[in-house]
Amino acid sequence: ESLKLSKSTTTSSGAEMIMLSKDVMMDIFSRLRAKILCRLRCVCKQWRSLISDPFFKSLHRARSSLKPSLLFLQEKCCGTSTTRVSMSSLDFDGNHNFDFTFTLDSYVRFMPSKWELICFLGSKGKGFYVCNPSTQELVNLPNTPASSRATLDGIAFGYIKERNEYVLVNSRFINNDTVCEVMRWTDGCCLKNHSWKVVDAKCPYMLRWCGVLVENNFYWIRHGNKYDSIEAIISFDLEKEDFGTVMPPKDTFDDGGLWSLAELMGMLWLFGSPEDISTMDIWVLKDSKNYMWAKEYTIDLAGFNLGVRFISILDHKEGKILMDVDSEILEWYDVDNKCFERVDNLRSVPWSWSVLHTDGLFSLGNQ
Amino acid sequence: MASSTTGEKKILTLKGGDNEEFILEESLVLQSELLKNMVKEERVSSIPLPSIKSKTLVKIIEYLKKHAELTPSNKEEFKNFEKEFVNVVLEELLDITVAVNYLKINGLLEFCCQAVADRIKDKSVEAVRKIFRIESDFTPEEESEFRKETPEAFEGDLDDTTN
């Protein structure tokens, strides 16, 4: 008895077509970058449908999320009304993945992000833009009643992995005029025609800068010079669509210091430095219901003797915290050995904003 | 049929596509999930594999032998062997991948998939079609639409070779 192996079929020209099983093709494709897959979509109908198959996309997403890369963003004003935006992707070994450059008829402000999509705010009533740099898809979101805003205060952009869903929250509190709008979308949703949902809940305070999403809750730091420290962190529950407050760690907030929030490893982290940014205290919210904070690390920043102005936290893995210092250098902080390791193979790409980025095929519905 | 034995070691015959026979120790083929099941359940001593070219089978048996000898001390040597193993023309690599998938040799399959991915990542659409012997089934209108949308897929500094 012989075994049959469906290796090949004959094409009209008589040549044997190579037929790898769907599983094997998916395995091979899942190892390729989205940009290459966009090219391979043009090979034949079968490949095209395989590459847009939701199951394949999730396989690809799972594999590429194990190997995030660094995305460096830069905006340059050209004349008075247009901005040239460049995005450059490098992996941690310094290999160049791709560049994506486009021109917009507005200024831009980048928002923190660390998934497949990048979100930023345009000026002059242009509202929000969402971009997948891997596939070079860019969409200007429909306007919102509150979109003619100029700052990022009270905005938040997040990703819910379980549902493969992105969420953008736009809340504003100015002179008792408070607005909160939410937009949520999944893969393939036609974003340019998508609509905002106006939420009844009233944002109780002015919020400072962009919020972060941790398990269905967005968190912001409250804006103001003098805190009533009990209500210094404001939350927005995405399911209940309501605002709340989170008690910060005791006796921590000082008015002149630099404070920021980040989502790392599925938890909310609070980073705080005094006015001179000589040290940085790092807390993690261990239990969000009982506001149990644990002070995990204190970093001595004296090594940066040139005077740090701003630190943004990009990642925390394998005992190291990745931070962007003044948009000039990237440093890994080793929490056990209490030392810094500079990421030094960045090929001198200049940047004004850096994010951790995963390659992916998330579609914004343009094609 | 019961497996023939020489001493303690069971011997098995694999028959390649061109009827060439390969005699090897049964323990080696147990790395293949497919052959393992056949040997365990049906107690065969000779397995015909008509759709696998003998040339491909030789390569795979070579891998099975090396992999069986893998110890912590020759890891580096095995890595080099693996690198050389996939350093063949693309057509042969695809033949190997198809066969390895069929035989269900999981570790090697992963390695082959990565090798194929590395080899096609810089290829133009036309080159990929030639490699996989695929004829475009898009209409000329669709085809020209793609060329407009993603011109870089068809031109630029992509690799047009098929090996």
Side-chain angles (χ1 to χ4, degrees):
Chain A
E1 192 196 349
S2 69
L3 290 164
K4 287 196 187 98
L5 165 55
S6 64
K7 197 201 103 184
S8 52
T9 58
T10 308
T11 61
S12 57
S13 66
E16 280 191 341
M17 185 169 153
I18 296 188
M19 296 278 287
L20 285 161
S21 73
K22 198 176 168 188
D23 287 352
V24 177
M25 286 316 295
M26 285 203 277
D27 191 317
I28 295 170
F29 286 167
S30 72
R31 294 160 194 271
L32 293 168
R33 298 194 63 85
K35 195 185 168 199
I36 293 159
L37 294 170
C38 290
R39 184 199 310 151
L40 295 181
R41 275 201 301 228
C42 306
V43 169
C44 65
K45 284 181 181 167
Q46 198 192 6
W47 284 28
R48 195 175 191 80
S49 85
L50 199 150
I51 290 165
S52 42
D53 183 287
F55 178 75
F56 167 69
K57 282 191 183 184
S58 65
L59 193 74
H60 185 264
R61 184 168 298 122
R63 201 185 284 281
S64 58
S65 67
L66 297 176
K67 273 186 102 177
S69 45
L70 292 162
L71 191 72
F72 296 102
L73 312 172
Q74 196 181 33
E75 78 280 25
K76 258 195 191 143
C77 296
C78 322
T80 49
S81 58
T82 60
T83 307
R84 191 167 173 76
V85 179
S86 353
M87 304 188 173
S88 197
S89 165
L90 296 183
D91 64 27
F92 281 94
D93 302 322
N95 298 313
H96 176 257
N97 296 321
F98 62 80
D99 288 323
F100 180 34
T101 306
F102 50 90
T103 304
L104 290 177
D105 183 18
S106 100
Y107 302 118
V108 301
R109 284 166 200 273
F110 298 118
M111 293 165 59
S113 108
K114 58 177 190 181
W115 313 277
E116 280 170 72
L117 304 186
I118 303 299
C119 187
F120 53 93
L121 180 67
S123 64
K124 298 190 290 185
K126 290 284 196 298
F128 295 98
Y129 290 86
V130 173
C131 166
N132 181 344
S134 310
T135 58
Q136 309 208 337
E137 218 181 337
L138 174 69
V139 169
N140 188 193
L141 298 186
N143 265 328
T144 86
S147 65
S148 60
R149 56 187 306 156
T151 73
L152 295 174
D153 294 337
I155 295 172
F157 178 54
Y159 175 60
I160 302 169
K161 196 177 167 191
E162 296 71 41
R163 290 199 290 270
N164 192 28
E165 181 183 48
Y166 285 86
V167 189
L168 184 60
V169 175
N170 179 36
S171 58
R172 194 167 66 154
F173 179 95
I174 297 171
N175 303 328
N176 289 328
D177 158 32
T178 141
V179 183
C180 179
E181 301 145 320
V182 179
M183 191 187 276
R184 308 170 71 147
W185 66 92
T186 52
D187 193 358
C189 168
C190 184
L191 258 192
K192 62 174 180 248
N193 300 325
H194 210 47
S195 50
W196 291 87
K197 179 184 180 186
V198 179
V199 171
D200 286 337
K202 302 267 180 273
C203 177
Y205 299 108
M206 280 177 75
L207 306 175
R208 200 204 281 198
W209 209 52
C210 293
V212 299
L213 175 64
V214 182
E215 277 188 48
N216 276 319
N217 277 285
F218 283 98
Y219 298 91
W220 289 266
I221 290 178
R222 185 182 156 189
H223 208 289
N225 292 324
K226 281 278 176 205
Y227 294 115
D228 167 2
S229 76
I230 291 175
E231 292 173 330
I233 296 175
I234 309 303
S235 66
F236 176 73
D237 186 317
L238 202 52
E239 295 306 302
K240 295 183 187 137
E241 296 187 338
D242 205 3
F243 289 91
T245 53
V246 174
M247 224 178 316
K250 269 197 187 114
D251 308 323
T252 50
F253 275 89
D254 86 63
D255 299 342
L258 186 70
W259 296 92
S260 64
L261 295 170
E263 180 274 326
L264 299 167
M265 306 189 294
M267 288 187 283
L268 182 68
W269 294 68
L270 174 66
F271 298 81
S273 293
E275 205 162 355
D276 61 358
I277 316 189
S278 55
T279 59
M280 179 187 265
D281 288 333
I282 304 177
W283 287 268
V284 60
L285 185 59
K286 296 270 185 186
D287 176 352
S288 55
K289 289 191 181 67
N290 301 308
Y291 311 136
M292 271 179 53
W293 292 89
K295 188 173 182 175
E296 295 283 277
Y297 318 110
T298 296
I299 303 181
D300 180 8
L301 294 173
F304 297 114
N305 47 16
L306 297 171
V308 174
R309 294 179 302 276
F310 181 74
I311 291 178
S312 99
I313 308 296
L314 303 185
D315 198 11
H316 183 3
K317 65 177 177 190
E318 292 155 16
K320 288 175 183 177
I321 298 172
L322 181 63
M323 44 183 88
D324 175 323
V325 183
D326 291 339
S327 300
E328 282 168 7
I329 48 175
L330 291 186
E331 297 271 359
W332 285 106
Y333 178 73
D334 184 324
V335 297
D336 293 327
N337 300 318
K338 298 188 188 235
C339 61
F340 284 96
E341 286 165 35
R342 190 165 296 190
V343 182
D344 57 2
N345 47 9
L346 301 177
R347 296 186 179 194
S348 60
V349 183
W351 72 88
S352 54
W353 189 245
S354 67
V355 298
L356 204 66
H357 177 249
T358 44
D359 183 67
L361 289 158
F362 197 101
S363 161
L364 308 180
N366 277 348
Q367 289 148 0
Chain B
M1 208 193 309
S3 308
S4 49
T5 55
T6 51
E8 290 301 301
K9 287 172 184 167
K10 288 184 181 169
I11 297 296
L12 192 77
T13 308
L14 296 183
K15 252 188 223 171
D18 13 30
N19 269 332
E20 201 173 324
E21 294 194 345
F22 301 90
I23 298 166
L24 60 165
E25 284 173 29
E26 192 188 275
S27 62
L28 280 182
V29 307
L30 299 184
Q31 296 178 60
S32 149
E33 285 298 319
L34 178 94
L35 299 181
K36 184 174 156 187
N37 287 338
M38 294 179 69
V39 170
K40 295 270 180 223
E41 285 164 21
E42 301 173 32
R43 304 223 134 269
V44 290
S45 62
S46 167
I47 299 178
L49 299 164
S51 48
I52 303 180
K53 288 178 198 159
S54 291
K55 190 183 173 194
T56 308
L57 211 46
V58 169
K59 282 286 279 186
I60 292 173
I61 292 168
E62 189 191 346
Y63 176 89
L64 295 179
K65 284 182 179 159
K66 275 275 178 208
H67 189 254
E69 290 163 7
L70 176 64
T71 61
S73 61
N74 63 14
K75 244 184 187 166
E76 211 45 47
E77 192 191 322
F78 184 75
K79 265 191 188 159
N80 290 335
F81 166 77
E82 274 190 316
K83 255 186 231 157
E84 274 310 303
F85 183 82
V86 292
N87 189 15
V88 291
V89 292
L90 199 37
E91 190 181 357
E92 200 182 333
L93 179 61
L94 289 173
D95 278 342
I96 295 171
T97 309
V98 170
V100 166
N101 175 48
Y102 174 69
L103 294 169
K104 294 200 175 72
I105 308 169
N106 293 331
L108 181 57
L109 180 61
E110 277 225 359
F111 194 74
C112 287
C113 286
Q114 185 61 53
V116 174
D118 290 342
R119 295 279 285 276
I120 63 171
K121 70 181 197 314
D122 297 321
K123 302 277 187 201
S124 68
V125 168
E126 286 301 338
V128 170
R129 282 179 184 155
K130 271 183 217 152
I131 291 161
F132 286 84
R133 300 189 201 118
I134 291 170
E135 285 176 8
S136 169
D137 49 2
F138 293 115
T139 63
E141 290 77 30
E142 285 171 323
E143 190 87 6
S144 66
E145 190 63 30
F146 295 154
R147 282 173 197 265
K148 235 190 313 175
E149 265 174 29
T150 44
E152 68 281 0
F154 295 88
E155 51 209 49
D157 46 9
L158 288 169
D159 180 1
D160 281 322
T161 60
T162 56
N163 48 34

